[in-house]
Amino acid sequence: MIADAGLTIAVPRGALFRETLDLLDGLGVDTSEIRGNDRKLVFPDVGVVTMRPSDVPTYVEHGAADVGVTGKDVLLEQAQRRVYELLDLGFGYCRMVVAARAGDDPLGEPLRRRGLVRIATKYPRIATTYFTGTGRQAEIVEVKGSVEIAPLIGLTDAIVDLTATGTTLAENNLVEVEQIADATARLIANPVSHKLKAAAVDALVERIRGLDIVARP
Amino acid sequence: VIHPLPTGTRDVLPDEARELRLLTDRLRGVFEANGYGEVQTPALEYEDVLRRGDDRAAGAAFRLFDDQGRVLVLRADGTIPIARLVANRYADAPLPLRLDYFAHAYRAIERGAAQEREFLQAGLELIGAPAPEGDAEVVAVVLEALTAAGLRRHRIGLGDASIYPMLLAQAGVPDAERATLLDHLARRDLPALETDVHRLGLSPATREMLLAPTSLRGGPEVLERATGPLAIAIENLRQIHELIADRGGDADRLIFDLGLVRDMSYYTGAVFEVYDPAVGYALGGGGRYDDLCGRFGRSLPACGLALDVQRVHMAQLEEERLG
């Protein structure tokens, strides 16, 4: 369905990995080798390459993969990537939120007294766009991991991060104060592949729609 | 010490320069053989002059002031300066005018594939020739030029900038929503397009009409799948295809793409985009701009297409590598 149609699909390792492989199973792709081997990254027999979720748009934009699966959060953060977004796959649901230590007015007070709010995040573009769009001055501090500790030890007033269940936030005594966007897994395509391999791409989209996992508007 | 260059600019050394020269010579040879004459315009122009053509001066990103305090911009495309040139220098010339150019243009970049601040364009503009004959000529000449340059698998996507605005009007989509839907289509964010179309509370048939163009692309058979108002809109594309085949052009290399949108605001009819399967991004593009020359004082139907020489070279190298 992928390789024999002349397509290569970029599959994200990480939170979306299992469900993406389940999706491929549903399309009749043999994923046993991929599941059994977490060091090998390229599986040419089945037309699959695996990578970090945030690298998927990069490979697809350059045409190194024709299609790929990644989170809407990644696509929002890399909005400059020229990739086509074909389907909302429905799985991997989570929310991009502003979270802060529980308190009366975690954002209002720093804004009032200091003129800006400090935000730690792995998503500087989403955070900047959101705070600019809501008319608030923010200093965005980019961190690479465990963003939850930033407000706890006084690096920032709040964080912008992705949450599925809210468990990690709660364990770190953080509460969600604002919701920015919903995110689910998306099927993306390289613009040139979308045109030059139109039949294969369309057949893939139709097959996935037929699996009845896809979110409907 | 290494002295830095601005991001997105680069030096070209003899080996590469030789290949680029060969490539542009071959393109130029085909343009000239088809009656096109090369023109050169300044890289710097007055901003208020280029803004006549497009309110963003085609996305110009670099500005400076001259000694009179006037704002100068580095041109961001080749078409607007040529529309200006035609009004200035060819006010009474017999038509059509066939002009080509090999010149650098300058744009802002973001991190991403093949993003250059300074890029060499090889373009041609056919002025005073209406649709569909003019479009067919431009596309056929570019196909011929790319073949002469040594590409083997190049294709040209053919769409029409007037299709989607027409469908939006036909569907009675409120003005305020049209730009949003067009933007979704331009970026091909299909989940967002679907969600927003459903939100408008249209009939199922109308919804289908607004979503259909996103997947209608391919050979002439996609024209058979176009129904309703779309069927009328594609008549122009059908004729362009026929005319290219009639003049012995490489019509098999055409891909109809009813959802094709280009980011210049001045396109009024057919739009083109050039591809090669060896690289993941378009090698160039263009279209029909029947209102543009009029904004500079001489109202003329016109169309053109510009290739990014660097990207064509990249495609050449990749085709070679992939064999």
Side-chain angles (χ1 to χ4, degrees), chain A residues 28-180:
Chain A
V29 175
D30 179 6
T31 61
S32 54
E33 192 192 3
I34 309 172
R35 290 176 193 272
N37 193 337
D38 47 339
R39 289 180 187 260
K40 193 173 163 185
L41 304 174
V42 183
F43 303 87
D45 294 347
V46 287
V48 171
V49 282
T50 62
M51 60 190 66
R52 289 171 67 116
S54 58
D55 285 340
V56 170
T58 314
Y59 280 76
V60 172
E61 183 188 28
H62 283 78
D66 299 297
V67 292
V69 174
T70 192
K72 182 67 179 173
D73 52 305
V74 172
L75 293 171
L76 288 171
E77 185 59 29
Q78 301 186 34
Q80 83 281 11
R81 297 274 173 216
R82 285 158 204 218
V83 295
Y84 288 177
E85 206 177 310
L86 302 184
L87 274 182
D88 181 345
L89 296 171
F91 62 79
Y93 175 81
C94 45
R95 290 165 300 133
M96 189 65 70
V97 301
V98 183
R101 295 172 73 165
D104 289 344
D105 192 6
L107 302 187
E109 186 174 331
L111 274 170
R112 215 163 35 243
R113 301 185 58 195
R114 198 201 296 135
L116 58 79
V117 58
R118 280 205 301 254
I119 303 292
T121 187
K122 287 179 270 187
Y123 302 90
R125 182 176 189 139
I126 293 173
T128 304
T129 308
Y130 178 68
F131 279 93
T132 307
T134 52
R136 293 174 290 182
Q137 305 182 83
E139 179 184 332
I140 307 296
V141 181
E142 185 177 355
V143 295
K144 297 293 187 191
S146 300
V147 64
E148 299 81 9
I149 62 170
L152 302 181
I153 58 174
L155 175 67
T156 63
D157 305 305
I159 64 172
V160 165
D161 204 16
L162 208 54
T163 178
T165 58
T167 315
T168 312
L169 293 179
E171 280 173 359
N172 288 289
N173 299 317
L174 297 175
V175 293
E176 185 183 322
V177 290
E178 291 170 32
Q179 182 164 343
I180 300 176

Side-chain angles (χ1 to χ4, degrees), chain B residues 254-276:
Chain B
L254 294 178
I255 301 171
F256 294 98
D257 184 355
L258 303 191
L260 181 61
V261 177
R262 301 270 306 156
D263 53 6
M264 294 297 175
S265 69
Y266 50 67
Y267 291 124
T268 55
V271 285
F272 324 122
E273 223 164 57
V274 183
Y275 313 109
D276 188 292

Side-chain angles (χ1 to χ4, degrees), chain B residues 280-293:
Chain B
Y281 34 79
L283 308 183
R288 171 156 293 279
Y289 49 91
D290 285 349
D291 297 340
L292 182 59
C293 291

Side-chain angles (χ1 to χ4, degrees), chain B residues 159-176:
Chain B
D160 192 321
S162 67
I163 288 181
Y164 212 66
M166 186 273 291
L167 293 182
L168 291 170
Q170 195 97 29
V173 175
D175 280 349

Side-chain angles (χ1 to χ4, degrees), chain B residues 135-208:
Chain B
D135 311 78
E137 175 179 326
V138 164
V139 170
V141 171
V142 169
L143 285 171
E144 185 189 339
L146 287 170
T147 304
L151 289 195
R152 295 191 306 271
R153 295 198 283 265
H154 51 290
R155 310 291 295 267
I156 290 188
L158 192 57
D160 192 321
S162 67
I163 288 181
Y164 212 66
M166 186 273 291
L167 293 182
L168 291 170
Q170 195 97 29
V173 175
D175 280 349
E177 304 275 357
R178 289 185 195 178
T180 314
L181 297 186
L182 256 174
D183 184 56
H184 291 329
L185 180 65
R187 291 187 301 109
R188 299 277 175 126
D189 183 344
L190 303 187
L193 184 66
E194 259 179 71
T195 306
D196 283 353
V197 165
H198 276 79
R199 204 167 34 74
L200 291 172
L202 306 165
S203 72
T206 310
R207 283 204 303 257
E208 177 49 29

